[in-house]
Amino acid sequence: MRLLERMRKEWFMVGIVLAIAGAKLEPSVGVNGGPLKPEITVSYIAVATIFFNSGLSLKTEELTSALVHIKLHLFIQIFTLAFFPAAIWLFLQLLSITPINEWLLKGLQTVGCMPPPVSSAVILTKAVGGNEVPNLAAH
């Protein structure tokens, strides 16, 4: 009975181990075009589920109070989508006169223009006990 109690307590780890074992035994189930259709389920359904679950855990009062901070949200959007890419562009102009590989600079430019993943920000903020409402409301 002790083993069963332990498995109930560690249900998530047991599920991960079972999923990995299942993938090892029958990898064709998870390939593109396979029965699980990961090109759709991972790209769209999994992301939507993460956001939906995060939203369910929010308190309505916290969300509505975070939404009224328009200046904060504008600052975050402008900093993330305009200032940071511009700063990276200036940095790349300086680096372009060095012997650094051109493709490395193009990769840095691409990454510098991409906003950080919202799901990661929400998950990491929640993990350290922070208030994840501003993260969700800003995006």
Side-chain angles (χ1 to χ4, degrees):
M1 198 62 163
R2 194 151 175 88
L3 178 64
L4 188 57
E5 289 174 18
R6 180 71 178 191
M7 288 178 67
R8 281 187 183 149
K9 183 179 178 190
E10 302 290 341
W11 64 270
F12 188 70
M13 271 316 230
V14 171
I16 289 175
V17 169
L18 289 174
I20 292 171
K24 178 72 175 165
L25 293 172
E26 195 57 50
S28 63
V29 173
V31 298
N32 279 349
L36 290 182
K37 301 277 188 227
E39 61 276 7
I40 296 168
T41 55
V42 173
S43 299
Y44 302 107
I45 296 172
V47 172
T49 303
I50 289 169
F51 277 108
F52 183 72
N53 284 337
S54 293
L56 286 178
S57 68
L58 297 175
K59 294 181 178 130
T60 309
E61 304 84 34
E62 288 181 10
L63 185 59
T64 53
S65 70
L67 287 174
V68 298
H69 299 292
I70 304 239
K71 288 181 183 177
L72 172 65
H73 300 305
L74 281 174
F75 171 76
I76 291 170
Q77 295 298 329
I78 290 168
F79 185 83
T80 304
L81 301 173
F83 174 78
F84 192 75
I88 291 293
W89 182 81
L90 284 172
F91 183 60
L92 289 171
Q93 297 308 305
L94 293 171
L95 288 178
S96 68
I97 59 175
T98 67
I100 293 177
N101 186 306
E102 172 189 356
W103 286 102
L104 184 61
L105 295 176
K106 288 180 180 183
L108 183 58
Q109 181 177 15
T110 302
V111 171
C113 293
M114 295 169 51
V118 178
S119 57
S120 299
V122 170
I123 290 168
L124 292 173
T125 302
K126 193 180 240 183
V128 296
N131 183 1
E132 74 274 7
V133 174
N135 283 325
L136 285 173
H139 294 82

